[in-house]
Amino acid sequence: MKHAMDKKFNLRKFLIILLVVITVGAVATTLFVLLKNSDDPDAIPEFAPQDTDNNAEAIEDDDDEEKLEASEGGGAVSMSYSKEVSISLSEKKASIIFWNPKRSTMDAVLQLIVISGEQEAVIAQSQLLPAGYKLEKMDLLDTAKLSAGKYSGKFNILYYNPETGERAVVNTNIPVDIQVKE
Amino acid sequence: MKKFLVLALVAMLVLSFGSVSVLAANPIITATGSDSADVKGTYVEGSAASAVYSVDLEWGALEFTYTDAGTGTWNPGNHSYSGGAAASWACDDPGVGDKIKVTNHSNRAVIATFSFAPESGADFAAITGAFTGTGITSNAATLGAGVVGQYATAANVTATLTLSGALGSSVNTQTTIGAVTVTLSVPG
């Protein structure tokens, strides 16, 4: 009788320890993923960011409900942009023009990159820019180290399927001129 | 009173004729005379149309299958293989799934440059991509600026992606093997 009770007690103890280990493991994994992402803010996301960018605005008078034709498994985007970028260091913002109209079948994520010789540095990266939205401001990353002057740079535009969130195998680079002011 | 009014009107008429003849540079004093006046103008530069870039980009599924070289069938009569095939890449949906189209709706010309970069890793390192199509030279094409009123016939280019180089044998399910970048620059 006593032996049976001990066995039951040991099993319960084992199950509690197992649950504690699983819980600690899950918490550790979650923390690792969160910290890893916050350490690497310019990493290209494999899947579409959950949040629409804070600076994204709906394009006014964008009444074109007809999407561009995209073959199965492919995509189509219509983009309007300016090659001039102005950065205010005091505001920690970049003034840009990039439109992703409703005609696009893809959502977008924008990276602003400064180029110096062979070196490239991401200085701003948007959250999601859904079709029908424009971006005229980008928040500079904390890691962006710039001083006043003129720079060469580029937009790197990544596209995401709005239904599956998967990143497309096609991306776009647009060379831009960057003017940095205090 | 009437006389006074008539005199006043006559005086006004005379004075007005006098002022016209004073203003004319070359008063007409004969029945067949003529006069001329300069027409003056000033040039003010109009506001130049600022550059507006607008580009459409369409692409197919870009799914390919790599078939490794086959040695064929052994012929014991002459100790040779027949029906062998070299390694090859084929698009899963040729003519559609291997296309990338760029259309320029800007009021400036745009150069579209296509490039392929394999995924990192030994299985993909040997893969290269080339882009061909009408108007494409060295993987790039220049698209003229949009013409007023001709939206439907905007300059465009369609590139066909062909792959070469071996794919690692461990990749036996549909896997991302690389990415295509379309760079949109301006001439000059």
Short mmCIF file of all heavy atoms in Angstrom, two decimals, chain B residues 51-105:
data_model
loop_
_atom_site.label_atom_id
_atom_site.label_comp_id
_atom_site.label_asym_id
_atom_site.label_seq_id
_atom_site.Cartn_x
_atom_site.Cartn_y
_atom_site.Cartn_z
N ALA B 51 10.63 65.46 -61.90
CA ALA B 51 10.67 64.02 -62.19
C ALA B 51 9.66 63.28 -61.33
O ALA B 51 9.61 63.46 -60.12
CB ALA B 51 12.07 63.50 -61.93
N VAL B 52 8.84 62.50 -61.99
CA VAL B 52 7.89 61.63 -61.28
C VAL B 52 8.17 60.20 -61.72
O VAL B 52 8.04 59.88 -62.90
CB VAL B 52 6.42 62.00 -61.61
CG1 VAL B 52 5.46 61.01 -60.95
CG2 VAL B 52 6.12 63.42 -61.16
N TYR B 53 8.61 59.39 -60.79
CA TYR B 53 8.95 58.00 -61.12
C TYR B 53 7.81 57.08 -60.72
O TYR B 53 7.36 57.11 -59.57
CB TYR B 53 10.24 57.59 -60.43
CG TYR B 53 11.44 58.32 -60.97
CD1 TYR B 53 11.96 59.43 -60.32
CD2 TYR B 53 12.03 57.92 -62.16
CE1 TYR B 53 13.04 60.13 -60.83
CE2 TYR B 53 13.11 58.60 -62.68
CZ TYR B 53 13.62 59.71 -62.01
OH TYR B 53 14.68 60.39 -62.53
N SER B 54 7.36 56.30 -61.67
CA SER B 54 6.27 55.36 -61.42
C SER B 54 6.50 54.14 -62.29
O SER B 54 6.56 54.24 -63.52
CB SER B 54 4.92 56.01 -61.74
OG SER B 54 3.88 55.13 -61.43
N VAL B 55 6.68 53.01 -61.65
CA VAL B 55 7.07 51.79 -62.38
C VAL B 55 6.20 50.62 -61.92
O VAL B 55 5.93 50.47 -60.73
CB VAL B 55 8.57 51.48 -62.12
CG1 VAL B 55 8.96 50.14 -62.74
CG2 VAL B 55 9.46 52.59 -62.65
N ASP B 56 5.75 49.82 -62.87
CA ASP B 56 5.04 48.58 -62.55
C ASP B 56 6.01 47.41 -62.72
O ASP B 56 6.81 47.39 -63.66
CB ASP B 56 3.85 48.36 -63.50
CG ASP B 56 2.72 49.36 -63.25
OD1 ASP B 56 2.80 50.10 -62.25
OD2 ASP B 56 1.78 49.40 -64.07
N LEU B 57 5.90 46.46 -61.82
CA LEU B 57 6.77 45.29 -61.85
C LEU B 57 5.91 44.04 -61.66
O LEU B 57 5.12 43.97 -60.71
CB LEU B 57 7.79 45.42 -60.70
CG LEU B 57 8.76 44.29 -60.44
CD1 LEU B 57 9.67 44.07 -61.64
CD2 LEU B 57 9.61 44.62 -59.21
N GLU B 58 6.00 43.12 -62.59
CA GLU B 58 5.21 41.87 -62.51
C GLU B 58 6.17 40.69 -62.67
O GLU B 58 7.09 40.76 -63.47
CB GLU B 58 4.17 41.83 -63.65
CG GLU B 58 3.16 42.97 -63.59
CD GLU B 58 2.54 43.24 -64.96
OE1 GLU B 58 1.91 42.34 -65.51
OE2 GLU B 58 2.72 44.37 -65.46
N TRP B 59 5.90 39.62 -61.92
CA TRP B 59 6.77 38.46 -62.06
C TRP B 59 5.97 37.16 -61.92
O TRP B 59 4.91 37.13 -61.28
CB TRP B 59 7.90 38.49 -61.04
CG TRP B 59 7.48 38.46 -59.60
CD1 TRP B 59 7.31 37.36 -58.82
CD2 TRP B 59 7.18 39.58 -58.75
NE1 TRP B 59 6.93 37.71 -57.55
CE2 TRP B 59 6.84 39.07 -57.48
CE3 TRP B 59 7.16 40.96 -58.95
CZ2 TRP B 59 6.48 39.91 -56.42
CZ3 TRP B 59 6.79 41.79 -57.89
CH2 TRP B 59 6.48 41.26 -56.65
N GLY B 60 6.50 36.11 -62.53
CA GLY B 60 5.87 34.80 -62.45
C GLY B 60 6.31 34.07 -61.18
O GLY B 60 7.01 34.63 -60.34
N ALA B 61 5.91 32.82 -61.08
CA ALA B 61 6.19 32.06 -59.86
C ALA B 61 7.69 31.81 -59.64
O ALA B 61 8.12 31.59 -58.51
CB ALA B 61 5.45 30.74 -59.89
N LEU B 62 8.47 31.84 -60.73
CA LEU B 62 9.91 31.63 -60.67
C LEU B 62 10.25 30.33 -59.92
O LEU B 62 11.07 30.32 -59.00
CB LEU B 62 10.62 32.84 -60.03
CG LEU B 62 10.40 34.18 -60.74
CD1 LEU B 62 11.05 35.32 -59.98
CD2 LEU B 62 10.95 34.15 -62.17
N GLU B 63 9.59 29.26 -60.35
CA GLU B 63 9.86 27.93 -59.79
C GLU B 63 10.53 27.07 -60.86
O GLU B 63 10.02 26.97 -61.99
CB GLU B 63 8.57 27.29 -59.29
CG GLU B 63 8.03 28.00 -58.06
CD GLU B 63 6.70 27.45 -57.56
OE1 GLU B 63 6.08 26.65 -58.28
OE2 GLU B 63 6.29 27.85 -56.46
N PHE B 64 11.64 26.48 -60.50
CA PHE B 64 12.45 25.73 -61.45
C PHE B 64 12.77 24.33 -60.90
O PHE B 64 12.78 24.13 -59.68
CB PHE B 64 13.77 26.46 -61.73
CG PHE B 64 13.59 27.76 -62.47
CD1 PHE B 64 13.18 28.91 -61.80
CD2 PHE B 64 13.83 27.83 -63.84
CE1 PHE B 64 13.02 30.11 -62.48
CE2 PHE B 64 13.67 29.02 -64.52
CZ PHE B 64 13.26 30.16 -63.85
N THR B 65 13.05 23.43 -61.80
CA THR B 65 13.47 22.07 -61.39
C THR B 65 14.82 21.78 -62.03
O THR B 65 15.02 22.03 -63.23
CB THR B 65 12.44 21.02 -61.85
OG1 THR B 65 11.19 21.32 -61.22
CG2 THR B 65 12.87 19.61 -61.45
N TYR B 66 15.72 21.25 -61.21
CA TYR B 66 17.05 20.88 -61.70
C TYR B 66 17.09 19.37 -61.89
O TYR B 66 16.77 18.62 -60.97
CB TYR B 66 18.12 21.32 -60.69
CG TYR B 66 19.51 20.87 -61.05
CD1 TYR B 66 20.21 21.50 -62.07
CD2 TYR B 66 20.13 19.83 -60.36
CE1 TYR B 66 21.49 21.09 -62.40
CE2 TYR B 66 21.41 19.42 -60.68
CZ TYR B 66 22.09 20.06 -61.71
OH TYR B 66 23.35 19.65 -62.04
N THR B 67 17.45 18.94 -63.08
CA THR B 67 17.59 17.50 -63.34
C THR B 67 19.07 17.21 -63.56
O THR B 67 19.70 17.78 -64.46
CB THR B 67 16.80 17.09 -64.61
OG1 THR B 67 15.44 17.52 -64.44
CG2 THR B 67 16.83 15.58 -64.82
N ASP B 68 19.59 16.34 -62.71
CA ASP B 68 21.02 16.03 -62.79
C ASP B 68 21.31 15.22 -64.06
O ASP B 68 20.40 14.63 -64.65
CB ASP B 68 21.44 15.25 -61.54
CG ASP B 68 22.93 15.39 -61.27
OD1 ASP B 68 23.61 16.07 -62.07
OD2 ASP B 68 23.41 14.82 -60.28
N ALA B 69 22.54 15.19 -64.44
CA ALA B 69 22.92 14.47 -65.65
C ALA B 69 22.56 13.00 -65.52
O ALA B 69 22.72 12.39 -64.46
CB ALA B 69 24.41 14.63 -65.90
N GLY B 70 22.05 12.45 -66.62
CA GLY B 70 21.72 11.02 -66.63
C GLY B 70 22.67 10.30 -67.57
O GLY B 70 23.00 10.81 -68.64
N THR B 71 23.15 9.13 -67.16
CA THR B 71 24.15 8.43 -67.99
C THR B 71 23.49 7.64 -69.13
O THR B 71 24.15 7.26 -70.08
CB THR B 71 24.98 7.45 -67.14
OG1 THR B 71 24.10 6.69 -66.33
CG2 THR B 71 25.96 8.20 -66.26
N GLY B 72 22.20 7.40 -69.02
CA GLY B 72 21.51 6.68 -70.09
C GLY B 72 21.54 5.16 -69.87
O GLY B 72 21.78 4.69 -68.77
N THR B 73 21.31 4.45 -70.94
CA THR B 73 21.19 2.98 -70.87
C THR B 73 22.47 2.32 -71.39
O THR B 73 23.00 2.69 -72.45
CB THR B 73 20.00 2.50 -71.73
OG1 THR B 73 18.84 3.25 -71.33
CG2 THR B 73 19.72 1.02 -71.53
N TRP B 74 22.92 1.35 -70.62
CA TRP B 74 24.17 0.65 -71.00
C TRP B 74 23.92 -0.28 -72.17
O TRP B 74 22.97 -1.06 -72.17
CB TRP B 74 24.68 -0.14 -69.79
CG TRP B 74 25.89 -0.99 -70.06
CD1 TRP B 74 25.96 -2.36 -70.06
CD2 TRP B 74 27.21 -0.53 -70.35
NE1 TRP B 74 27.22 -2.78 -70.32
CE2 TRP B 74 28.02 -1.67 -70.51
CE3 TRP B 74 27.78 0.73 -70.51
CZ2 TRP B 74 29.38 -1.58 -70.81
CZ3 TRP B 74 29.14 0.81 -70.80
CH2 TRP B 74 29.92 -0.33 -70.95
N ASN B 75 24.73 -0.15 -73.19
CA ASN B 75 24.64 -1.04 -74.35
C ASN B 75 25.83 -2.00 -74.30
O ASN B 75 26.97 -1.61 -74.59
CB ASN B 75 24.69 -0.19 -75.64
CG ASN B 75 24.48 -1.05 -76.87
OD1 ASN B 75 24.64 -2.28 -76.83
ND2 ASN B 75 24.11 -0.40 -77.98
N PRO B 76 25.57 -3.30 -73.93
CA PRO B 76 26.70 -4.24 -73.79
C PRO B 76 27.35 -4.58 -75.13
O PRO B 76 28.49 -5.02 -75.15
CB PRO B 76 26.05 -5.47 -73.17
CG PRO B 76 24.60 -5.37 -73.46
CD PRO B 76 24.28 -3.93 -73.62
N GLY B 77 26.62 -4.34 -76.22
CA GLY B 77 27.17 -4.66 -77.54
C GLY B 77 28.36 -3.81 -77.91
O GLY B 77 29.29 -4.26 -78.57
N ASN B 78 28.35 -2.58 -77.52
CA ASN B 78 29.50 -1.71 -77.87
C ASN B 78 30.05 -0.97 -76.66
O ASN B 78 30.81 -0.01 -76.81
CB ASN B 78 29.10 -0.71 -78.96
CG ASN B 78 27.93 0.15 -78.54
OD1 ASN B 78 27.54 0.14 -77.36
ND2 ASN B 78 27.38 0.90 -79.47
N HIS B 79 29.63 -1.44 -75.49
CA HIS B 79 30.15 -0.83 -74.25
C HIS B 79 30.01 0.70 -74.27
O HIS B 79 30.97 1.44 -74.16
CB HIS B 79 31.61 -1.24 -74.00
CG HIS B 79 31.73 -2.59 -73.38
ND1 HIS B 79 32.77 -2.94 -72.54
CD2 HIS B 79 30.94 -3.68 -73.46
CE1 HIS B 79 32.61 -4.19 -72.14
NE2 HIS B 79 31.50 -4.68 -72.70
N SER B 80 28.75 1.11 -74.45
CA SER B 80 28.52 2.55 -74.40
C SER B 80 27.14 2.82 -73.78
O SER B 80 26.31 1.91 -73.68
CB SER B 80 28.59 3.16 -75.81
OG SER B 80 27.47 2.72 -76.54
N TYR B 81 26.95 4.07 -73.37
CA TYR B 81 25.64 4.47 -72.87
C TYR B 81 24.91 5.23 -73.96
O TYR B 81 25.52 5.99 -74.71
CB TYR B 81 25.78 5.39 -71.65
CG TYR B 81 26.19 4.65 -70.39
CD1 TYR B 81 27.51 4.65 -69.96
CD2 TYR B 81 25.24 3.98 -69.61
CE1 TYR B 81 27.89 3.98 -68.80
CE2 TYR B 81 25.62 3.31 -68.45
CZ TYR B 81 26.94 3.31 -68.05
OH TYR B 81 27.30 2.65 -66.91
N SER B 82 23.62 5.02 -74.06
CA SER B 82 22.83 5.82 -75.01
C SER B 82 21.67 6.46 -74.27
O SER B 82 21.18 5.94 -73.27
CB SER B 82 22.32 4.93 -76.15
OG SER B 82 21.51 3.89 -75.61
N GLY B 83 21.24 7.58 -74.81
CA GLY B 83 20.08 8.27 -74.21
C GLY B 83 20.41 9.06 -72.96
O GLY B 83 19.50 9.46 -72.22
N GLY B 84 21.67 9.31 -72.76
CA GLY B 84 22.06 10.12 -71.58
C GLY B 84 21.70 11.58 -71.79
O GLY B 84 21.42 12.02 -72.91
N ALA B 85 21.65 12.31 -70.73
CA ALA B 85 21.31 13.74 -70.85
C ALA B 85 22.18 14.56 -69.90
O ALA B 85 22.53 14.09 -68.81
CB ALA B 85 19.85 13.96 -70.53
N ALA B 86 22.51 15.72 -70.37
CA ALA B 86 23.30 16.63 -69.52
C ALA B 86 22.38 17.21 -68.43
O ALA B 86 21.16 17.23 -68.58
CB ALA B 86 23.87 17.75 -70.37
N ALA B 87 22.99 17.65 -67.36
CA ALA B 87 22.22 18.29 -66.29
C ALA B 87 21.54 19.54 -66.85
O ALA B 87 22.09 20.23 -67.70
CB ALA B 87 23.15 18.67 -65.15
N SER B 88 20.34 19.81 -66.35
CA SER B 88 19.63 20.98 -66.90
C SER B 88 18.64 21.56 -65.89
O SER B 88 18.19 20.88 -64.96
CB SER B 88 18.87 20.57 -68.16
OG SER B 88 17.88 19.61 -67.84
N TRP B 89 18.32 22.80 -66.11
CA TRP B 89 17.28 23.50 -65.36
C TRP B 89 16.08 23.70 -66.27
O TRP B 89 16.24 23.99 -67.46
CB TRP B 89 17.77 24.88 -64.92
CG TRP B 89 18.70 24.88 -63.74
CD1 TRP B 89 20.06 24.91 -63.78
CD2 TRP B 89 18.33 24.87 -62.37
NE1 TRP B 89 20.57 24.91 -62.51
CE2 TRP B 89 19.52 24.90 -61.61
CE3 TRP B 89 17.11 24.84 -61.69
CZ2 TRP B 89 19.53 24.90 -60.23
CZ3 TRP B 89 17.12 24.84 -60.31
CH2 TRP B 89 18.31 24.87 -59.59
N ALA B 90 14.89 23.57 -65.72
CA ALA B 90 13.67 23.85 -66.49
C ALA B 90 12.68 24.57 -65.60
O ALA B 90 12.51 24.23 -64.43
CB ALA B 90 13.07 22.56 -67.02
N CYS B 91 12.03 25.58 -66.19
CA CYS B 91 11.00 26.29 -65.44
C CYS B 91 9.75 25.40 -65.36
O CYS B 91 9.39 24.74 -66.32
CB CYS B 91 10.67 27.62 -66.13
SG CYS B 91 9.36 28.53 -65.28
N ASP B 92 9.13 25.39 -64.19
CA ASP B 92 7.93 24.56 -64.01
C ASP B 92 6.76 25.07 -64.83
O ASP B 92 5.83 24.32 -65.12
CB ASP B 92 7.54 24.50 -62.52
CG ASP B 92 8.63 23.83 -61.69
OD1 ASP B 92 9.60 23.30 -62.29
OD2 ASP B 92 8.53 23.83 -60.45
N ASP B 93 6.77 26.34 -65.18
CA ASP B 93 5.69 26.92 -65.98
C ASP B 93 6.33 27.82 -67.06
O ASP B 93 6.25 29.04 -67.00
CB ASP B 93 4.76 27.75 -65.07
CG ASP B 93 3.53 28.28 -65.80
OD1 ASP B 93 3.28 27.82 -66.93
OD2 ASP B 93 2.83 29.15 -65.24
N PRO B 94 6.99 27.16 -68.03
CA PRO B 94 7.77 27.95 -69.00
C PRO B 94 6.90 28.93 -69.79
O PRO B 94 5.75 28.64 -70.11
CB PRO B 94 8.36 26.87 -69.92
CG PRO B 94 7.53 25.65 -69.70
CD PRO B 94 7.00 25.74 -68.31
N GLY B 95 7.47 30.08 -70.05
CA GLY B 95 6.75 31.10 -70.81
C GLY B 95 5.91 32.02 -69.94
O GLY B 95 5.46 33.06 -70.39
N VAL B 96 5.69 31.63 -68.72
CA VAL B 96 4.91 32.46 -67.78
C VAL B 96 5.67 32.58 -66.46
O VAL B 96 5.95 33.68 -65.97
CB VAL B 96 3.50 31.85 -67.51
CG1 VAL B 96 2.74 32.69 -66.49
CG2 VAL B 96 2.72 31.72 -68.80
N GLY B 97 6.01 31.43 -65.90
CA GLY B 97 6.62 31.40 -64.57
C GLY B 97 8.06 31.86 -64.53
O GLY B 97 8.63 31.99 -63.45
N ASP B 98 8.66 32.07 -65.70
CA ASP B 98 10.07 32.50 -65.73
C ASP B 98 10.21 33.94 -66.20
O ASP B 98 11.30 34.38 -66.55
CB ASP B 98 10.89 31.57 -66.62
CG ASP B 98 10.24 31.37 -68.00
OD1 ASP B 98 9.17 31.94 -68.24
OD2 ASP B 98 10.82 30.63 -68.82
N LYS B 99 9.09 34.69 -66.21
CA LYS B 99 9.11 36.06 -66.75
C LYS B 99 9.08 37.13 -65.65
O LYS B 99 8.43 36.95 -64.62
CB LYS B 99 7.89 36.29 -67.65
CG LYS B 99 7.74 35.28 -68.79
CD LYS B 99 8.75 35.53 -69.88
CE LYS B 99 8.48 34.62 -71.08
NZ LYS B 99 9.61 34.56 -72.00
N ILE B 100 9.74 38.23 -65.95
CA ILE B 100 9.69 39.42 -65.09
C ILE B 100 9.51 40.61 -66.02
O ILE B 100 10.31 40.81 -66.94
CB ILE B 100 10.99 39.59 -64.28
CG1 ILE B 100 11.21 38.36 -63.40
CG2 ILE B 100 10.95 40.84 -63.41
CD1 ILE B 100 12.65 38.08 -63.11
N LYS B 101 8.43 41.36 -65.78
CA LYS B 101 8.11 42.48 -66.68
C LYS B 101 8.19 43.80 -65.92
O LYS B 101 7.68 43.91 -64.81
CB LYS B 101 6.70 42.29 -67.25
CG LYS B 101 6.29 43.37 -68.24
CD LYS B 101 4.88 43.13 -68.75
CE LYS B 101 4.44 44.22 -69.72
NZ LYS B 101 3.05 44.08 -70.12
N VAL B 102 8.83 44.76 -66.54
CA VAL B 102 8.94 46.11 -65.96
C VAL B 102 8.32 47.11 -66.94
O VAL B 102 8.65 47.09 -68.13
CB VAL B 102 10.41 46.50 -65.69
CG1 VAL B 102 10.49 47.88 -65.05
CG2 VAL B 102 11.09 45.47 -64.81
N THR B 103 7.41 47.94 -66.46
CA THR B 103 6.77 48.96 -67.30
C THR B 103 7.03 50.33 -66.70
O THR B 103 6.83 50.54 -65.50
CB THR B 103 5.24 48.70 -67.39
OG1 THR B 103 5.02 47.37 -67.82
CG2 THR B 103 4.58 49.67 -68.36
N ASN B 104 7.46 51.25 -67.54
CA ASN B 104 7.82 52.59 -67.06
C ASN B 104 6.70 53.60 -67.32
O ASN B 104 6.40 53.92 -68.46
CB ASN B 104 9.11 53.06 -67.74
CG ASN B 104 9.59 54.39 -67.18
OD1 ASN B 104 9.22 54.77 -66.06
ND2 ASN B 104 10.41 55.09 -67.95
N HIS B 105 6.08 54.10 -66.26
CA HIS B 105 5.06 55.15 -66.38
C HIS B 105 5.61 56.49 -65.88
O HIS B 105 4.84 57.40 -65.57
CB HIS B 105 3.81 54.77 -65.58
CG HIS B 105 3.09 53.57 -66.11
ND1 HIS B 105 2.49 53.54 -67.34
CD2 HIS B 105 2.90 52.33 -65.59
CE1 HIS B 105 1.94 52.36 -67.56
NE2 HIS B 105 2.18 51.60 -66.51
#
